[in-house]
Amino acid sequence: MGTLIVNGGRMLDGKVSVHGSKNSVLPILAATILNSGINEIHNCPRLRDVDAAIEILRCIGCKVTFEGNTVIVDSTDAKNYEIPDELMREMRSSVIFMGAMLARLGRVSLFTPGGCELGARPIDLHISALKSLGAHIRENGGAISCEARRMRGRDIVLSFPSVGATENTMLAATACEGRTRIFNAAREPEIEDLQNFLVKMGAEVSGAGSSTIVINGRKKLGSVSHCVIPDRICAATFMCAAALCGGHVRVENIVPEHISTVTSVLDAVGCDVAVGRDFVDIIRTGRLSSFRCIRTMPYPGFPTDAQPPLMALATKCVGTSMFVETIFDGRYRHIGGLCRLGADIKTEGRVALVYGVPKLCGCSVEATDLRGGAALVVAAMAAEGRSEIGEIHHIDRGYERIEESMSCLGADIKRS
Ligand code: UD1
């Protein structure tokens, strides 16, 4: 599994390029089943979750190659409708295959991905949306079997703008007779990327980025070539690292508007932030001040996935910063590690108060989840002395060789 060894306390300087978005490419990989054809996906990050999705595609019968950052999926022979439990457990997003397989094969048997490190994570919204479209779904313990002889488009109102439920509904709706409208849809950039992919394939989908998405189903779908958008959470992590460690960093290959909530916090705490067409410069020389309150919200609000790295930054801001985590109930597990590194953080329910300290000190910590693990890396880079970060398989789920990205900015970080 390996650990990351960090000798902290170095200022950062240089440029880092952001890889393709994990949360975009996963539903796009699921969508490749729809067309019985060739799908070429560029700017695909090399991540553990991507490998897990590719394994599922192969299990279904697709031929997949992955060279450099290009994945080619030939879904002509996708026939197997069963995804075994061990593949489902590899990552929660495997649930996204439900809508795509229903659309292509008319049936799917899989297992609930179960709870994960962020809390319970139910899939009730996915299930009820697919049922509304005409799927018969039986749940037996963790096993789920779905069948849909004939799916019809209709109006679906999500009680919460769930990213996964929006994506699953979009995928299933491509095979529905007539029009599906999704109200209170998630508005994340990754939903728009999925729409763009589906439209290139020949599907009739519009509205992504707003809260109403319209899909006219049963269009002829053909082969497609697509380039995945940059990973906005990865960009946010590099930006927080630059702000915490100090120095001058350019984060390249980004869509600035996707991370504008993070940019404005860094500006408010005292960084010099310059936004270019596809990059952002972060310059930090003096000490930073705290911020009043960050409340995580569905897009375009502050992303829950950027909360842990921003909390790492808050540990050394002068004064007290407050977080309110509204999306996931188990999203504070990195706080134990941050406190071991010397942070002063108190939590009560969904609220965390971060009292800024003048310094962090290196020690051994363990990643408990993907973004929490990245927050520990960022904090260790700013801590005095040596840190060892264990359980880094969590981090590898979403960052392509994080130690190389941070090293090219001047951090002393190695995998051992
Ligand atoms: C996606 C992202 C994840 C991000 C999250 C919120 C991917 C692969 N993952 O996860 O990185 O943190 O969006 O931006 O894209 N919920 C229900 N019932 C459901 C579905 C969701 O109660 O059927 C709840 C969840 O428990 C959670 C909230 O809704 O509290 C948000 O979940 P959702 O938007 O669905 O997140 P994911 O798609 O799982």
Side-chain angles (χ1 to χ4, degrees), residues 1-2 48 367 370 390-398 415:
M1 285 282 155
R48 270 192 59 212
L370 165 55
E391 301 290 334
I392 58 172
H393 56 97
H394 291 293
I395 301 172
D396 292 337
R397 282 187 43 223
R415 187 178 289 250

Side-chain angles (χ1 to χ4, degrees), residues 22-23 26 92-93 121-126 160-164 188 304-305 327-328 331:
K22 168 180 89 71
N23 290 353
L26 296 177
R92 184 191 147 82
S93 320
R121 300 187 83 169
I123 55 166
D124 53 317
L125 300 176
H126 303 237
F160 179 86
S162 154
V163 174
E188 269 68 2
T304 173
D305 289 352
I327 308 292
F328 291 111
R331 189 127 225 195

Side-chain angles (χ1 to χ4, degrees), residues 307-321:
Q307 174 259 106
L310 185 69
M311 191 178 287
L313 170 63
T315 60
K316 284 184 72 180
C317 288
V318 178
T320 304
S321 305

Side-chain angles (χ1 to χ4, degrees), residues 22-24 26-27 49 91-96 118-128 159-167 186 188 190 232-233 297-299 303-306 325-329 331 350 370-371 397:
K22 168 180 89 71
N23 290 353
S24 264
L26 296 177
D49 275 10
M91 63 162 182
R92 184 191 147 82
S93 320
S94 45
V95 76
I96 211 66
L118 304 183
R121 300 187 83 169
I123 55 166
D124 53 317
L125 300 176
H126 303 237
I127 301 270
S128 78
S159 57
F160 179 86
S162 154
V163 174
T166 301
E167 292 164 347
E188 269 68 2
E190 294 76 22
R232 62 196 167 99
I233 305 303
M297 297 289 273
Y299 193 85
T304 173
D305 289 352
E325 172 57 56
T326 75
I327 308 292
F328 291 111
D329 50 15
R331 189 127 225 195
R350 289 177 175 260
L370 165 55
R371 306 300 171 187
R397 282 187 43 223

